[in-house]
Amino acid sequence: MNTDWNDILQLLLNATGETLYMVLLAGLFTLLIGLPLGVLLFVSRADGLFPLPRLNRGLGAVINLGRSLPFVVMLIALIPLTRLIVGTTLGSTAAVVPITIGAFPFFARIVETALDEVDRGRIEAIVAMGGDIRHVILKVLLPEALPALVAGTTLTLVMLIGFSSMAGVIGGGGLGDLAIRYGYQRFNNQIMVVTVIVLVLLVQGVQNLGDRCVRSLAHRR
């Protein structure tokens, strides 16, 4: 099948916009869910600031379960939930639901690991001065772990781009859907190649921007 380059460009622009919409919206929800969960995982350890061993084990088990499921399987398994929340299983908005659920357990573990790298001496100093857990989290943990958190956010956004592409399997829209419907099913190699190039450029752009932010934050410290 031969496609006019004007048609390819229009399809590509629409698909890229849908991909950015999915990644940014799912990224926002992933941050809003994953960040507090990661903090809770860290402070609720047996030796943490607010020990809740049972809660920590239960939450850790749920997060590990979410991380262990292949995303393609999760896409299909979450179809009823997606329909319940959004009212449909097709389109970019519907794809945000499984993308977010697939990503926030990963980000929560990144947050926990980033907080674990904070110097214990700083935490003890705040506690010794009478600071409560809120002061420790807001004044020490999050500011000190900010470069690692930005690096983890960058890694998560790159993963979300891949997830958004896989969402094309169930009609989620975006570049993945374009590659499947026009590139694979219609044997259009032009669209397939151009789609791959755009995805690579998106990943490189996000990674480079994230690396610059991390270097800037590390330099200021």
Side-chain angles (χ1 to χ4, degrees), residues 206-220:
V206 170
Q207 189 64 59
N208 289 336
L209 179 61
D211 290 343
R212 289 184 180 182
C213 291
V214 171
R215 287 194 296 267
S216 176
L217 291 170
H219 179 72
R220 291 177 185 178

Side-chain angles (χ1 to χ4, degrees), residues 18-213:
E18 291 174 352
T19 293
L20 291 175
Y21 168 77
M22 286 188 285
V23 170
L24 293 177
L25 190 57
L28 175 62
F29 288 136
T30 297
L31 180 66
L32 293 176
I33 299 172
L35 181 61
L37 282 181
V39 172
L40 182 58
L41 280 170
F42 179 78
V43 301
S44 64
R45 294 174 176 177
D47 59 344
L49 297 169
F50 193 68
L52 294 169
R54 291 184 178 179
L55 175 63
N56 186 273
R57 288 193 297 269
L59 185 59
V62 172
I63 287 177
N64 289 338
L65 176 63
R67 294 175 60 200
S68 64
L69 293 176
F71 183 66
V72 174
V73 175
M74 187 177 294
L75 275 174
I76 299 172
L78 291 175
I79 285 178
L81 178 62
T82 301
R83 184 180 291 111
L84 178 64
I85 295 175
V86 183
T88 180
T89 59
L90 300 176
S92 302
T93 301
V96 170
V97 175
I99 291 174
T100 301
I101 294 176
F104 82 77
F106 174 80
F107 186 66
R109 285 299 186 189
I110 286 180
V111 173
E112 182 187 18
T113 302
L115 298 180
D116 205 25
E117 297 175 359
V118 176
D119 185 3
R120 294 279 179 171
R122 294 179 180 271
I123 299 175
E124 293 171 358
I126 292 293
V127 173
M129 289 187 292
D132 57 19
I133 187 172
R134 180 173 59 87
H135 291 102
V136 173
I137 292 173
L138 297 179
K139 301 295 184 181
V140 179
L141 289 177
L142 294 180
E144 289 295 318
L146 189 57
L149 291 173
V150 172
T153 301
T154 302
L155 183 62
T156 303
L157 287 174
V158 169
M159 183 182 69
L160 288 174
I161 294 175
F163 280 3
S164 70
S165 299
M166 284 186 276
V169 173
I170 60 169
L175 291 167
D177 184 58
L178 178 65
I180 292 172
R181 289 196 296 121
Y182 287 87
Y184 176 70
Q185 294 179 350
R186 302 188 185 187
F187 305 101
N188 191 322
N189 293 328
Q190 293 172 317
I191 288 185
M192 184 66 76
V193 171
V194 174
T195 300
V196 170
I197 292 174
V198 173
L199 284 170
V200 170
L201 291 176
L202 283 177
V203 169
Q204 291 296 326
V206 170
Q207 189 64 59
N208 289 336
L209 179 61
D211 290 343
R212 289 184 180 182
C213 291

